[in-house]
Amino acid sequence: NSKVIQTPRYLVKGQGQKAKMRCIPEKGHPVVFWYQQNKNNEFKFLINFQNQEVLQQIDMTEKRFSAECPSNSPCSLEIQSSEAGDSALYLCASSLDRGGAETLYFGSGTRLTVL
Amino acid sequence: SQWGEENLQALSIQEGEDVTMNCSYKTYTTVVHWYRQDSGRGPALIILIRSNEREKRSGRLRATLDTSSQSSSLSITAAQCEDTAVYFCATRDMGYKLTFGTGTSLLVDP
């Protein structure tokens, strides 16, 4: 069973508001992934980290998304100015391997609703 | 089948039946993950099959991998109500991430 902890479980924001969610990866897992899952169950990779270093991220040209995984603190994903299209389930996963060769352990997600 | 721009596939079967879900992928991968996602929860790995394996079994689950046709399948034998979930395949691309298929929603009726 996954021990990845995501908070909050639900998040409701108005358009233009900041939305921040957190993730505590499984102990000993150096790699953290963030995915966005829309209402059609489609996954969109956002970013991943190995320890505190960004490995890969999508072209966040809108610069509304930011993420970090500081040492000895939960990882976080923040949307600076929420839009209706950001409404989705945000999934955090951790793994022993940075390349996807090993299991990803997912949290239960943060469901963001932007009104 | 899953992948690309296909919509989520939905399957409905009776308890005790066998079912197979297919997955095609576009880029070379060394591993195919199969996850199930229950309502309100994150995905959980059920089988991971590597490129040097043609078949892998875990209880009532059987996964196959054909690297020449870039396809994988997941079969469930004698499905039970608790197998009701959405099933996803995922492949490792050339970067540092997994790319997920579009998913198959399986409903097992008693």
Side-chain angles (χ1 to χ4, degrees):
Chain A
N1 289 334
S2 173
K3 297 178 178 62
V4 176
I5 300 171
Q6 288 189 249
T7 56
R9 191 71 189 271
Y10 301 94
L11 195 54
V12 180
K13 294 292 179 181
Q15 293 197 46
Q17 291 187 319
K18 285 186 181 181
K20 188 169 186 175
M21 54 204 83
R22 293 175 175 81
C23 170
I24 300 175
E26 285 216 24
K27 191 174 182 179
H29 284 188
V31 184
V32 173
F33 298 78
W34 285 99
Y35 283 87
Q36 178 194 65
Q37 187 179 27
N38 66 19
K39 61 180 180 180
N40 295 322
N41 280 328
E42 296 164 333
F43 287 80
K44 180 181 182 180
F45 169 82
L46 296 176
I47 192 169
N48 60 352
F49 293 85
Q50 181 162 357
N51 299 315
Q52 295 83 51
E53 177 189 351
V54 175
L55 292 173
Q56 191 173 359
Q57 61 183 339
I58 64 168
D59 182 16
M60 298 178 181
T61 54
E62 293 179 283
K63 303 298 183 186
R64 296 187 300 109
F65 289 76
S66 62
E68 62 176 3
C69 269
S71 177
N72 298 318
S73 293
C75 297
S76 65
L77 177 69
E78 186 171 56
I79 305 173
Q80 300 301 319
S81 179
S82 300
E83 298 178 354
D86 297 331
S87 295
L89 181 67
Y90 289 84
L91 292 163
C92 174
S94 70
S95 178
L96 289 169
D97 176 74
R98 67 179 192 173
E102 301 297 336
T103 304
L104 265 62
Y105 294 87
F106 283 87
S108 293
T110 292
R111 185 165 296 282
L112 172 65
T113 301
V114 182
L115 302 175
Chain B
S1 295
Q2 299 185 34
W3 217 253
E5 299 175 354
E6 295 179 46
N7 292 326
L8 176 70
Q9 182 181 9
L11 296 174
S12 182
I13 62 173
Q14 297 297 121
E15 202 170 31
E17 292 182 353
D18 300 341
V19 63
T20 297
M21 294 165 256
N22 297 301
C23 169
S24 299
Y25 52 92
K26 296 180 178 178
T27 59
Y28 173 78
T29 187
T30 58
V31 62
V32 174
H33 300 226
W34 282 95
Y35 289 83
R36 67 172 279 168
Q37 186 174 21
D38 297 305
S39 180
R41 305 193 69 172
L45 184 82
I46 51 176
I47 278 192
L48 189 152
I49 183 167
R50 302 186 189 278
S51 56
N52 61 349
E53 301 171 303
R54 292 186 63 84
E55 177 182 298
K56 193 164 186 179
R57 293 177 183 266
S58 176
R60 294 183 295 105
L61 305 176
R62 172 178 173 261
T64 65
L65 177 57
D66 184 342
T67 54
S68 62
S69 64
Q70 297 191 158
S71 63
S72 178
S73 70
L74 175 71
S75 298
I76 303 176
T77 302
Q80 301 172 5
C81 291
E82 50 264 38
D83 296 324
T84 293
V86 181
Y87 292 82
F88 296 93
C89 64
T91 57
R92 174 187 183 185
D93 65 15
M94 297 305 290
Y96 298 115
K97 61 179 174 69
L98 284 186
T99 299
F100 284 79
T102 50
T104 298
S105 178
L106 177 65
L107 174 63
V108 183
D109 286 319

